[in-house]
Amino acid sequence: MTLAALIDDLVSANHILYNEGVVDGFGHVSVRHPERADRYFLARSIAPAVVKREDIMEFDLESDAIERGPRPYLERFIHGEIYRARRDVHAVVHSHSPSVIPFSVTGTRLQPIFHLGGFLGAGAPIFEIREAGGPETDMLIRTPDLGVALASTLGSAAYALMRGHGSVAVGVSLKQAVFRAIYAEVNARLQANASRLGEITFLNAAEAANAAATNDQMVDRPWELWKKRVSGS
Ligand SMILES: [Zn+2]
């Protein structure tokens, strides 16, 4: 894929995540530079739904902009520090998608309730900002140190919750990270609904891993649908 095509996909990812109810005025998605592992692309501080090619900025892993430009997102350290910690990760979505938030504050673990949530594995880890930032933060990942702490909680997982704030989804590609961000939100909705009906049988470890491996081969299909919805064609 050419760099221009990748940037086009990044713009599409912004629009898709808005259209599917994962981001609103807030939240962001980035992609690692395909030729320079120590750089990534992320929009300037702007609502995802209105991102255009010219809004995309390039950053190093300190999350400093390569060229002086417009104001970047305060929470860009989420992206830089995850790319530094996880060589396998090539895309990151940070959002405040609403259905997952209750699972960050109640002690009820977000777990794979259906095959499309298989990437949740044994359950999403939860980042507690008080452990790294003390009791008086504004909840935002606004420093490199907080980004390092979040990446540490994420560990080798595909998805992590941030207590009282939101989540991060990572992937080997933009399509995989977007898939995970969208289906984590769906999984959370289903899990909350099912919990009102009775005790839930979750996917076991083997089912979750096998389902995730199968889904990883199919990320193109929903991406084409989601893209069609935002392009209107
Ligand atoms: Zn945030």
Side-chain angles (χ1 to χ4, degrees):
M1 180 187 278
T2 64
L3 189 54
L6 186 69
I7 299 297
D8 282 342
D9 273 358
L10 180 55
V11 172
S12 294
N14 274 274
H15 300 168
I16 286 168
L17 289 166
Y18 169 70
N19 203 48
E20 299 301 321
V22 172
V23 299
D24 49 19
F26 302 97
H28 21 88
V29 50
S30 68
V31 67
R32 195 194 288 267
H33 195 304
E35 283 129 36
R36 295 205 51 163
D38 59 345
R39 292 191 180 180
Y40 67 93
F41 297 100
L42 176 70
R44 69 184 174 92
S45 183
I46 187 174
V50 298
V51 166
K52 296 193 274 299
R53 288 187 61 92
E54 53 268 34
D55 298 313
I56 304 298
M57 300 171 69
E58 186 175 343
F59 295 88
D60 61 23
L61 295 190
E62 315 295 312
S63 295
D64 290 327
I66 301 302
E67 288 174 23
R68 199 135 62 101
R71 193 159 61 94
Y73 291 119
L74 280 174
E75 293 194 284
R76 61 194 180 282
F77 305 104
I78 292 171
H79 304 266
E81 298 306 329
I82 288 176
Y83 288 128
R84 197 200 304 276
R86 289 277 299 272
R87 306 299 288 182
D88 61 311
V89 166
H90 285 262
V92 177
V93 176
H94 166 58
S95 83
H96 316 135
S97 79
S99 303
V100 305
I101 306 276
F103 294 91
S104 77
V105 296
T106 52
T108 297
R109 218 165 162 75
L110 181 64
Q111 293 181 79
I113 193 170
F114 73 149
H115 64 303
L116 295 171
F119 63 88
L120 292 168
I126 300 174
F127 174 66
E128 174 47 80
I129 196 168
R130 287 177 196 160
E131 287 172 10
E136 296 183 12
T137 68
D138 65 359
M139 307 301 288
L140 300 185
I141 306 296
R142 55 167 63 241
T143 67
D145 285 350
L146 289 171
V148 168
L150 173 61
S152 166
T153 295
L154 176 69
S156 60
Y159 191 85
L161 297 169
M162 302 155 75
R163 197 263 307 162
H165 177 176
S167 63
V168 287
V170 303
V172 297
S173 66
L174 265 175
K175 289 176 183 175
Q176 192 187 49
V178 166
F179 177 104
R180 288 168 170 176
I182 290 173
Y183 279 111
E185 173 69 11
V186 175
N187 193 100
R189 225 150 44 215
L190 295 175
Q191 190 174 337
N193 286 341
S195 69
R196 285 189 277 275
L197 300 177
E199 194 180 337
I200 300 173
T201 302
F202 292 101
L203 273 65
N204 64 28
E207 289 167 341
N210 290 334
T214 297
N215 297 336
D216 288 345
Q217 305 304 313
M218 299 187 180
V219 292
D220 284 336
R221 193 200 299 184
W223 174 270
E224 291 309 320
L225 168 67
W226 296 327
K227 203 170 154 180
K228 186 177 159 83
R229 282 183 183 157
V230 294
S231 64
S233 59

